[in-house]
Amino acid sequence: MKKTVFALLFFTGLTFAQDMNVVSGNFDFLKNQKEINVEFDYSSFTMMKEKKSEAQYVEERTAELNEKLKGNGNIWKKKWESSKELIWTPKFLELINVVLVKEKKDVSFQEGLTTPYTLIVKTVWIYPGWDAAIMKQPAKVSTNLKFVETANKSNVLLEISSEEAPGDQWGNNFSNESRIGEGYAKTAKSLAKLLVKKAYK
């Protein structure tokens, strides 16, 4: 029985793979850049297989948790609202820079920089996953990654589509927000590796 459960968990982990594709543009402009400004756009993503709006998901989840334990949903809602700034954004920035440092590349991605180019990380779709101790499903995060001219953001120099980046950790992780954060970490890792291969050879 234990072997069967382990095999199922292992197989489940394998079924979630990230798909990262260059939609348009090239990497040439990045070659000599030492710093890239980063902006995060969480304004219009959908959630779950049903592609609910974020507002609908939050309303339903809050009501569900309040029904189980009065006030618990309101507490969760505050955690959710702060997760973008406190978990998702930092995870992305941390991991993209960690990979670049390990690869000995002299380039940094940070918010609030005055630089020629900006990376806009636009969230498209999120699936929070679940963890029931014995079995679990990773979160999945889809984003649109656009490198634009900072002074003219309508000028897109490179666009990359990242589909269903898996978010999971070793052991148990019962926080939806934390699992989603790992999806942003995975997105950042994959983007950094692509940049190392294509832009910072």
Side-chain angles (χ1 to χ4, degrees):
M1 178 64 181
K2 288 184 178 179
K3 288 183 179 179
T4 302
V5 171
F6 178 80
L8 180 59
L9 288 173
F10 184 70
F11 178 76
T12 300
L14 288 179
T15 59
F16 293 93
Q18 181 180 12
D19 187 12
M20 183 167 278
N21 296 305
V22 175
V23 177
S24 63
N26 60 65
F27 297 81
D28 296 345
F29 67 97
L30 290 169
K31 186 175 181 181
N32 296 315
Q33 299 302 309
K34 303 297 184 184
E35 292 183 325
I36 304 294
N37 182 49
V38 186
E39 294 180 2
F40 293 84
D41 182 353
Y42 298 108
S43 63
S44 59
F45 62 89
T46 57
M47 295 199 63
M48 314 299 286
K49 294 177 181 177
E50 300 83 2
K51 293 193 175 179
K52 302 175 182 181
S53 68
E54 181 192 9
Q56 182 183 355
Y57 171 77
V58 170
E59 181 181 356
E60 292 175 356
R61 180 69 173 160
T62 302
E64 177 189 352
L65 292 173
N66 276 335
E67 188 174 337
K68 291 179 180 178
L69 181 63
K70 189 174 181 179
N72 206 33
N74 298 333
I75 294 170
W76 170 83
K77 185 178 179 181
K78 288 182 179 180
K79 289 180 181 178
W80 176 266
E81 290 171 346
S82 66
S83 60
K84 301 177 182 72
E85 181 180 352
L86 298 181
I87 303 175
W88 304 352
T89 291
K91 276 286 186 181
F92 183 96
L93 292 172
E94 177 186 4
L95 269 296
I96 193 170
N97 289 310
V98 163
V99 173
L100 291 169
V101 167
K102 284 183 177 179
E103 295 289 338
K104 296 180 171 57
K105 304 303 178 182
D106 184 20
V107 58
S108 177
F109 284 73
Q110 303 292 339
E111 289 182 288
L113 299 179
T114 304
T115 57
Y117 304 111
T118 293
L119 166 62
I120 300 175
V121 181
K122 180 176 177 60
T123 300
V124 176
W125 178 78
I126 290 175
Y127 173 71
W130 49 268
D131 192 330
I134 296 176
M135 295 182 65
K136 60 182 178 178
Q137 273 197 345
K140 290 183 279 187
V141 176
S142 293
T143 52
N144 181 261
L145 308 167
K146 284 184 180 179
F147 287 86
V148 301
E149 275 190 291
T150 302
N152 178 19
K153 291 177 181 174
S154 62
N155 185 14
V156 180
L157 302 168
L158 173 63
E159 181 176 352
I160 299 168
S161 173
S162 173
E163 301 288 337
E164 300 189 3
D168 198 11
Q169 294 171 311
W170 289 108
N172 295 112
N173 184 351
F174 300 109
S175 166
N176 286 1
E177 298 76 59
S178 181
R179 280 194 305 275
I180 292 168
E182 293 303 314
Y184 283 95
K186 174 61 176 173
T187 302
K189 287 180 186 177
S190 298
L191 176 59
K193 289 177 181 178
L194 185 62
L195 293 175
V196 167
K197 183 179 179 181
K198 299 288 187 179
Y200 304 113
K201 301 175 185 178

